[in-house]
Amino acid sequence: MKKILSFIIVFFTLGKLFSMNIDVSIYPSVKISEGKLGEYLYTSTNDRIISYLQWEENPVFQYGLGINSSINNFNIQAEGFFSLPGKCGKMFDSDWKIPGVKTNYGIFQNNSVKNWFTSAQVSYSFNINNNFAIIPLFMFSYRYDSFSTNKGTGSYGDSKYSSTGKDESWDSEYAKKCNLSGIDYLRKSLFYNFGIGGKYTGKRINLMMDLMISPYGSFFTKDYHRDDFATDEFESQAYTTITLHTSYFKVFSLKLAMDYSITNNLALFLCTEGIIYPKISGQTATNAYNGLGFGSFEDNDWTLLKQKSAIDLQEVSVKAGCIYKF
């Protein structure tokens, strides 16, 4: 907060000293996100998939605050969002013990735990005329997504559970219907984005569009498979999986926004944004502290494996709020 206040003071001071056209505004808002995060594991010898977890955001509600500062055509914007814990759809867990045949399938109630996002953006407006501008953009963003499922139900046809003692399809008559332990999941994502935007400025209505691509992204994921059914007689089967990923020009986003001025100092705005990245391959690791759940999510003690992994994301969000101009 001190840095933000210092930043505003510097902008006002520069504006007075050099007679610049300076504007500062803040904008509280509410965001609703719908989407899904995918988590893939493959065999260590080839690219055959053996596990896929799909985490729904259906939906996730976030609350945020942003600040926008500009001197003439140069603009700096920063914002942050956080969510409250709550139900957010389902989580689906699939396993393939034999090629091309899904042997295990489970469904869980998914719950958001901590989901927050922060970004900083700089841009410069090239005015075509009094109403239209072309705007190159650079943005840094970081998001933290964590989920936890309740106990689930599933159908297991692998040889350990099937009535034949062989690997069978999850939907065959030989598969076993069973209760499943919950799973905790964390994904940390860092992006550097470049893009181009356009803006129409009217008397009361402004329209904006941004198209961005991320030349570089870095991802850390960790899931903890709990053993909610462990007893004194049966040893816990809990385990942890870590994956590490790097992307180059694979993350895309499109934003459409509109604001309507009520007074010279107050406006309402509406924004919708889509973000997508296809499968991003990475490395897999195991954690030395199995059985600690979310408590172990921040440690860095892991061992890299030869096993391949991948992640993806598809998400659409709608954001609405007000803008107060100082």
Side-chain angles (χ1 to χ4, degrees), residues 67-183:
I67 181 169
N68 189 79
S69 303
S70 61
I71 294 181
N72 295 337
N73 292 23
F74 182 74
N75 179 269
I76 297 179
Q77 178 180 303
E79 63 181 15
F81 287 87
F82 72 94
S83 70
L84 299 177
K87 295 180 179 180
C88 60
K90 303 292 184 182
M91 194 280 281
F92 306 95
D93 184 4
S94 302
D95 296 318
W96 290 260
K97 297 296 183 180
I98 52 179
V101 179
K102 184 190 295 188
T103 50
N104 302 338
Y105 183 60
I107 301 176
F108 305 77
Q109 170 63 56
N110 192 27
N111 306 287
S112 62
V113 180
K114 290 181 182 179
N115 298 77
W116 57 271
F117 169 86
T118 184
S119 69
Q121 176 180 293
V122 295
S123 62
Y124 187 88
S125 297
F126 292 94
N127 296 321
I128 299 175
N129 53 39
N130 291 334
N131 298 108
F132 293 95
I134 300 295
I135 308 172
L137 310 161
F138 170 76
M139 183 174 71
F140 162 84
S141 61
Y142 178 86
R143 60 182 289 168
Y144 183 106
D145 297 292
S146 62
F147 304 95
S148 182
T149 72
N150 299 338
K151 296 176 184 178
T153 58
S155 178
Y156 272 44
D158 70 53
S159 58
K160 184 178 179 180
Y161 298 95
S162 71
S163 59
T164 64
K166 300 178 181 180
D167 290 323
E168 306 285 354
S169 175
W170 70 275
D171 56 358
S172 74
E173 59 181 309
Y174 308 111
K176 180 181 179 180
K177 303 298 187 290
C178 52
N179 295 319
L180 304 173
S181 298
I183 304 174

Side-chain angles (χ1 to χ4, degrees), residues 18-34:
F18 300 101
S19 299
M20 294 179 179
N21 181 20
I22 182 169
D23 292 301
V24 177
S25 59
I26 60 173
Y27 53 98
S29 60
V30 177
K31 181 166 70 171
I32 303 174
S33 299
E34 290 267 358

